[in-house]
């Protein structure tokens, strides 16, 4: 929910939204490359830190091997300890699925939206620096923009151009539809970063189960939740008009101590 009133935050209007995107875009490509280079570890990092993600074979146990690497099936069959050997996957495509919902643009200076855009930009740069093919699918206000995984000099500017566009709420693309687009876009196993604030209703979450399950079974699905530290924290300063940024419904909400005590008493009566 967004707050209206003195000191309250709200979803940005068209002019403020344009200013926010302009500030975000200023020197973006150079900034993203610099941040990506500072965060990279090795030329082609594994999705699981410290070891590869593909089992390439087994060998007999040697002094210093970790117990978690033991292949118990082979050990039981051969009667002596065997451990798994791992290798990194090379050129694993990376797909960024960004859910640009109205709630993402609510709050102080669209803080969550800027963080989500920066996260997607940096992940794209890291992937391209590592030689991976990177693509993007934009849900919500992203108008269903889809950039197939690719690399080369033009790929990052193309992705950044898509990310810096102002969201359109007139015909939002449901996240479930974006997940379907991602499934048909990928012809091989890939890493998928699902980025958003995940402020979804129980029915919406239930409707996403099939799509999420299908992607998780075949790909490395990594959810990235964007949060605002002050989100949901209301000061003890009287009443606020709250607006749901998704439905635009409004209501009066009091944060005074008396109102909190009354709500507690009413909740206790309902339990009894």
């Amino acid at each position: 929910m967004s707050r209206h009133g003195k000191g309250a935050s709200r979803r940005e209007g068209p002019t403020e939204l344009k200013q926010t995107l302009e500030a975000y875009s200023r020197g973006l490509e150079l900034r993203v490359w610099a941040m990506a280079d500072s965060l990279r570890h090795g030329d082609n990092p594994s999705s699981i830190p410290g070891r590869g993600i593909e089992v390439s074979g087994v060998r007999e146990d040697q002094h210093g091997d970790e117990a978690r690497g033991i292949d118990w099936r082979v050990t039981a069959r051969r009667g002596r300890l065997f451990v798994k050997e791992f290798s990194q996957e090379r050129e694993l495509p990376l797909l960024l699925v960004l859910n640009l919902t109205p709630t993402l643009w609510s709050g102080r200076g669209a803080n969550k939206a800027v963080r989500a855009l920066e996260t997607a930009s940096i992940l794209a740069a890291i992937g391209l620096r590592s030689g991976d093919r990177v693509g993007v699918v934009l849900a919500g206000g992203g108008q269903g923009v889809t950039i197939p995984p690719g690399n080369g000099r033009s790929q990052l500017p193309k992705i950044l151009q898509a990310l810096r566009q102002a969201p359109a709420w007139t015909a939002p693309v449901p996240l479930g539809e974006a997940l379907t687009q991602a499934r048909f876009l990928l012809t091989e196993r890939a890493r998928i970063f699902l980025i958003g604030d995940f402020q979804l209703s129980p029915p919406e979450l239930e409707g996403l189960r099939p799509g999420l399950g299908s992607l998780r079974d075949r790909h490395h699905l990594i959810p990235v939740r964007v949060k605002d530290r002050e989100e949901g924290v209301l000061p003890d300063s009287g009443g606020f008009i709250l607006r749901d940024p998704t439905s635009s419904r409004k209501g009066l909400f009091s944060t005074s101590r008396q109102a909190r005590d009354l709500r507690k008493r009413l909740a206790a009566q309902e339990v009894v």
Side-chain angles (χ1 to χ4, degrees):
M1 302 287 275
S2 58
R3 300 170 285 177
H4 290 266
K6 185 177 179 181
S9 58
R10 56 186 174 79
R11 195 174 87 192
E12 296 191 332
T15 302
E16 296 163 308
L17 184 56
K18 182 179 179 181
Q19 293 172 348
T20 297
L21 287 169
E22 286 177 350
Y24 158 74
S25 302
R26 203 170 295 125
L28 178 62
E29 189 168 348
L30 291 175
R31 190 169 75 247
V32 166
W33 280 128
M35 294 178 71
D37 287 337
S38 68
L39 292 171
R40 285 176 66 227
H41 298 283
D43 290 333
N44 199 349
S46 167
S47 299
I48 304 174
R51 57 194 299 180
I53 51 179
E54 286 296 303
V55 178
S56 59
V58 295
R59 59 169 173 79
E60 287 197 51
D61 177 63
Q62 298 175 0
H63 178 71
D65 286 337
E66 297 182 11
R68 64 176 179 171
I70 296 174
D71 189 319
W72 293 108
R73 291 184 179 179
V74 178
T75 295
R77 189 166 63 245
R78 299 194 180 182
R80 54 188 187 276
L81 283 177
F82 276 79
V83 295
K84 299 174 184 177
E85 289 188 311
F86 296 89
S87 63
Q88 291 184 344
E89 288 181 315
R90 298 289 175 177
E91 298 181 357
L92 194 66
L94 188 154
L95 186 67
L96 305 168
V97 180
L98 186 56
N99 194 23
L100 295 173
T101 56
T103 57
L104 201 65
W105 291 92
S106 301
R108 306 167 297 144
N111 184 48
K112 288 193 299 181
V114 170
R115 287 187 178 183
L117 294 171
E118 287 185 341
T119 299
S121 301
I122 293 169
L123 287 171
I126 290 175
L128 291 169
R129 273 282 197 255
S130 301
D132 296 328
R133 288 173 290 123
V134 180
V136 170
V137 174
L138 299 183
Q143 299 181 319
V145 170
T146 299
I147 300 177
N151 48 27
R153 291 185 178 182
S154 64
Q155 191 69 0
L156 185 63
K158 190 187 303 181
I159 291 172
L160 298 184
Q161 179 62 29
L163 294 177
R164 63 165 62 103
Q165 296 302 311
W169 311 118
T170 52
V173 175
L175 180 55
E177 185 176 321
L179 296 178
T180 301
Q181 291 177 357
R183 183 160 55 90
F184 286 108
L185 194 64
L186 299 168
T187 57
E188 57 186 305
R189 198 151 70 120
R191 286 168 294 177
I192 302 174
F193 287 89
L194 177 58
I195 305 170
D197 61 0
F198 304 142
Q199 292 190 10
L200 303 168
S201 66
E204 288 175 315
L205 288 172
E206 189 63 30
L208 292 175
R209 283 184 182 274
L212 290 172
S214 177
L215 290 176
R216 183 193 58 201
D217 291 342
R218 185 172 183 186
H219 307 284
H220 302 297
L221 182 60
I222 306 166
V224 180
R225 184 183 180 189
V226 182
K227 299 176 66 176
D228 186 337
R229 288 182 304 177
E230 295 188 6
E231 189 173 52
V233 179
L234 298 176
D236 187 3
S237 57
F240 284 90
I241 296 177
L242 300 181
R243 180 180 59 80
D244 186 328
T246 302
S247 66
S248 295
R249 293 174 56 188
K250 297 181 180 180
L252 181 63
F253 186 84
S254 176
T255 61
S256 66
R257 180 175 300 175
Q258 293 85 350
R260 290 201 304 270
D261 291 342
L262 176 60
R263 285 195 294 273
K264 288 181 180 179
R265 289 198 299 272
L266 291 175
Q269 291 175 7
E270 290 179 0
V271 172
V272 174

